[in-house]
């Protein structure tokens, strides 16, 4: 599935839930399915700045695609990280860097989450994109290096 | 509805009181609001809102200046508020009441003026381990400025001050003690009479942070013999941006002014300024006139209900809440003082306080989560924060039942 298709699927999943307690239940469930970060990466430089609760994020390159792992000390946050990772994991840095992210607004997360949470979510999105851009730049310079 | 203990206070008609507070009629997420964040700020009765409006429609004018009718009316209303607050605290004179922006402003005033007038390098200022940041940072800044030292009265795991350690800290170097009457994060009521007696035996003045006290229990500054006492208007059903500093006349006379400007002066030349008498010496600039007058309305409202009646009602609420919360699996209280008031802090298992707070919010229940501006307290208990439910005269047993049900539901989702 493309990043766009994954977002559309998430939006459709959430649209079936009538109230916010149900949506939270779903978010918490997604948190339980989060691919957990290796304990050795739970270091201060893997912490995302701008989150009230602690969030660690790590990325690995496998066959040209980025795989994200993460963890948080708060369960709802874990669910939100999980949403993010579901959308981005398994895509190339180029796809991630160029993607347009609309599921956060479409699900209503930006208006229903407490401001500290939605700021945290945006920090997370920014960090994922930064990782992707960094990998993309690295691979570009390697390519250029070979061609020369 | 769960078991409700015998209500021994028919003197307070909570349903009638609730009708006086427009915001309590609001719904959040389509649910009736359960407002349990009263230690952060209380809701305002209609009379306070009406007084604010009335001031701007009928009285608006600057105080202490004009000869015209309106200015005299506004001045009289502003000074009447001072008299009402003086009698509410049983101060000797209205001049001992200084209007400020709030508790934080009041403490900054005393810390600055006391520091300038009384503190030398090597002197010691005592605060307690359970202070709000606003009763730590102003003293820290002053100590840094004056070369003085800030020392801390420790507390135990129940959230009670260790009084033997306090006695040991009392040396001739100590120049002032600033402690909270009631802890905002733990609800502990401190043994302030004992603290003041021991301090006065060594001629050390005491400042009490009464931000979480005046709305919950009778406070008599003469009976306490306290030197300075501060509180915020918005936590006692008054407007935000209002506050009070009570100071004994001899202390307020002795201390240098805090801010310079209009109203606080008698005569000004470029060579020298002669400061005004109390209370104006500490009220530079145009004050929050409407706020001060509306604060009077709030205090009169409290007096009409009766602080003793409010105290009796809230004691039952705290007891009932503690009893009901205790039955939630995995819940532990943060702070378990024998004598507490107004607020209960807790955690459930290892559930993050933000998670719990967010799911309570979505059920229409407003509580506070986080460090409650008391990071040293959270550090002491090694926790990122707590969930705090805090009460007011309009809190009901049903509010507490909804809180308990809300926590159970949230905890089941988060476990």
């Amino acid at each position: 599935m493309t990043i766009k298709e994954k977002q559309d699927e998430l939006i459709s999943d959430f649209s079936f839930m009538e109230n916010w307690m149900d949506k939270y239940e779903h978010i918490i469930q997604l948190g339980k399915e989060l691919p957990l970060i290796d304990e050795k990466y739970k270091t201060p430089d893997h912490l995302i700045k701008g989150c009230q609760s602690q969030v660690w994020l790590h990325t690995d390159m496998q066959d040209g695609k980025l795989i994200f792992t993460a963890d948080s000390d708060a369960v709802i946050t874990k669910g939100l990280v999980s949403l993010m990772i579901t959308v981005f994991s398994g895509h190339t840095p180029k796809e991630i860097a160029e993607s347009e992210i609309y599921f956060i607004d479409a699900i209503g997360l930006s208006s229903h989450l407490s401001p500290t949470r939605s700021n945290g979510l945006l920090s997370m999105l920014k960090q994922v994109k930064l990782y992707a851009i960094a990998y993309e730049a690295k691979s570009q310079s390697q390519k250029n290096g070979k061609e020369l | 509805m769960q078991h409700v203990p015998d209500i021994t206070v028919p003197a307070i008609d909570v349903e009638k009181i609730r009708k006086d507070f427009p915001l309590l009629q609001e719904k959040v997420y389509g649910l009736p609001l359960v407002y349990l964040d009263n230690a952060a700020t209380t809701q305002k009765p209609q009379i306070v809102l009406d007084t604010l409006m009335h001031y701007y429609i009928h009285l608006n004018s600057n105080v202490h200046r004009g000869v015209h009718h309106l200015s005299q009316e506004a001045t009289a209303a502003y000074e009447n508020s001072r008299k009402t607050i003086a009698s509410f605290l049983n101060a000797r004179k209205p001049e001992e009441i200084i209007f400020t922006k709030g508790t934080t402003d009041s403490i900054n005033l005393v810390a600055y003026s006391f520091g300038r007038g009384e503190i030398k390098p090597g002197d010691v200022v005592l605060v307690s381990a359970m202070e709000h940041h606003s009763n730590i940072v102003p003293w820290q800044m002053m100590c840094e400025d004056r070369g003085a030292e800030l020392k801390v009265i420790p507390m135990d795991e129940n959230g009670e001050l260790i009084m033997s350690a306090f006695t040991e800290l009392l040396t001739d170097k100590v120049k002032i003690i600033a402690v909270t009457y009631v802890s905002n994060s733990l609800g502990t009521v401190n043994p302030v009479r004992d603290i003041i007696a021991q301090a006065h035996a060594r001629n050390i003045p005491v400042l009490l942070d009464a931000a979480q006290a005046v709305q919950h229990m009778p406070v008599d500054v003469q009976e306490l013999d306290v030197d300075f006492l501060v509180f915020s208007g918005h936590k006692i059903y008054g407007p935000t941006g209002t506050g009070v500093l009570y100071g004994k006349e001899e202390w307020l006379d002795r201390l240098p002014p805090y801010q310079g400007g209009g109203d606080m002066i008698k005569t000004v030349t470029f060579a020298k300024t002669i400061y005004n008498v109390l209370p104006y010496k500490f009220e530079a600039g145009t004050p929050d006139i409407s706020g001060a007058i509306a604060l009077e309305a709030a205090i009169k409202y409290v007096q009409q209900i009766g602080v003793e009646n409010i105290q009796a009602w809230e004691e039952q609420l705290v007891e009932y809440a503690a009893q009901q919360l205790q039955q939630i699996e995995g819940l532990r209280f943060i702070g378990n003082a024998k004598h507490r008031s107004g607020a209960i802090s807790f955690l459930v298992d290892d559930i993050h306080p933000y998670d719990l707070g967010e799911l309570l919010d979505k059920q229409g229940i407003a509580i506070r989560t986080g460090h409650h501006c008391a990071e040293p307290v959270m550090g002491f208990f090694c926790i990122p924060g707590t969930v705090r439910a805090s009460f007011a005269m309009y809190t009901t047993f049903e509010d507490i039942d909804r809180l308990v049900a809300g926590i159970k539901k949230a905890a089941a989702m988060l476990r």
Side-chain angles (χ1 to χ4, degrees), chain B residues 128-165:
Chain B
S128 90
M130 64 177 80
E131 297 309 315
H132 187 283
H133 295 161
S134 63
N135 203 24
I136 301 173
V137 185
W139 301 107
Q140 224 164 27
M141 288 163 70
M142 181 271 270
C143 285
E144 216 167 278
D145 194 39
R146 309 299 298 177
E149 197 186 345
L150 187 72
K151 288 193 179 177
V152 183
I153 310 162
M155 66 174 166
D156 62 20
E157 301 78 58
N158 286 327
E160 290 180 328
L161 293 181
I162 302 172
M163 289 303 285
S164 57

Side-chain angles (χ1 to χ4, degrees), chain B residues 7-46:
Chain B
I7 297 168
T8 51
V9 197
I12 186 164
D13 184 347
V14 181
E15 283 317 311
K16 186 165 169 284
I17 289 171
R18 289 181 72 85
K19 291 198 180 86
D20 291 335
F21 289 79
L23 203 136
L24 296 179
Q25 321 309 322
E26 293 283 305
K27 288 188 170 181
V28 285
Y29 310 114
L31 299 162
L33 169 67
V34 172
Y35 186 76
L36 294 173
D37 195 17
N38 295 285
T41 198
T42 52
Q43 301 306 337
K44 319 303 171 197
Q46 188 65 46

